[in-house]
Amino acid sequence: MQDVLASFVTLEAGHGEVIVQQGDDHVDSRCRGALLTQPWGRCRVPALKRLLLLSLLLLTPSASADEHQVSLVAHPDVDTRSLTRDNTRAIFAMRQRTWPDGQAVRVFVLPNNHAVHGRFTKERLAVYPHQLQLAWDRMVFSGTGQAPNSVSNQSEMLERIATTPGALGYLEREYLDDRVQVISME
């Protein structure tokens, strides 16, 4: 049986039953493990509680969503406070090797298969991790450049950025502390 998300749910007054309907089509519903095949699916109150809980979980923004947002971070001595997406993409593609003030950029990245690396490249740079890897490989194999410095986890990323002048990388918000500065992206 195909799962269907109901677009119309009511509570019959005084009966503690849920009526589920999608558009003009009647939807079968499951109540306590038994399939109800009446024109209108009817479930007792526990099903209503589950439905309300599910809708609250789906509609309420997660408090931890902000914690898992990936931020662009740099060494505290870097004078630049914001970068455009194009500049950030050029730096991480290793095409731009200096900050706007002329200081050398030292780029740090997580492994390609790391979830945070994937989120950062897709959400912040608008490229896929394999596209960046292809650009790095092309530069390394042609002798025109080098790949960024790879770190194994976010704790190591934090430590390396905090101790390397001109460093740039990314971290989830929960890893941020006062040893690094957040660079905003325009």
Side-chain angles (χ1 to χ4, degrees):
M1 180 172 131
Q2 182 179 359
D3 291 334
V4 180
L5 181 61
S7 61
F8 177 77
V9 178
T10 62
L11 177 62
E12 257 183 23
H15 298 292
E17 295 181 336
V18 175
I19 300 173
V20 179
Q21 179 181 7
Q22 179 171 349
D24 293 333
D25 299 330
H26 300 298
V27 178
D28 291 339
S29 62
R30 292 189 181 272
C31 183
R32 297 182 192 197
L35 177 62
L36 300 176
T37 57
Q38 302 167 354
W40 290 74
R42 296 179 187 273
C43 287
R44 299 278 173 215
V45 175
L48 174 62
K49 289 179 182 176
R50 278 186 250 124
L51 183 61
L52 290 174
L53 179 61
L54 178 62
S55 65
L56 285 173
L57 290 173
L58 292 174
L59 298 176
T60 305
S62 172
S64 66
D66 191 44
E67 286 178 2
H68 296 295
Q69 180 181 354
V70 182
S71 298
L72 188 61
V73 294
H75 187 272
D77 291 340
V78 170
D79 290 334
T80 303
R81 300 291 180 242
S82 69
L83 290 169
T84 65
R85 177 176 282 181
D86 289 339
N87 284 347
T88 307
R89 190 182 300 137
I91 290 171
F92 277 92
M94 305 303 286
R95 291 188 316 265
Q96 181 176 332
R97 298 179 182 149
T98 61
W99 289 99
D101 67 358
Q103 181 183 17
V105 176
R106 299 282 311 269
V107 179
F108 290 92
V109 297
L110 292 166
N112 283 341
N113 61 355
H114 198 285
V116 174
H117 178 72
R119 283 200 334 264
F120 174 74
T121 60
K122 288 184 231 175
E123 295 171 6
R124 304 299 292 252
L125 302 180
V127 298
Y128 289 101
H130 72 272
Q131 291 172 306
L132 272 181
Q133 186 65 52
L134 287 172
W136 300 333
D137 290 346
R138 196 175 310 120
M139 291 173 59
V140 169
F141 296 136
S142 68
T144 59
Q146 60 187 31
N149 302 293
S150 184
V151 295
S152 59
N153 56 50
Q154 293 186 81
S155 298
E156 184 182 353
M157 173 87 75
L158 174 63
E159 189 61 35
R160 299 285 299 271
I161 292 172
T163 59
T164 307
L168 180 68
Y170 47 87
L171 293 167
E172 287 179 315
R173 290 209 184 268
E174 64 188 78
Y175 285 88
L176 298 178
D177 65 21
D178 59 351
R179 296 182 294 161
V180 295
Q181 66 168 314
V182 175
I183 304 291
S184 64
M185 281 185 61
E186 301 169 358

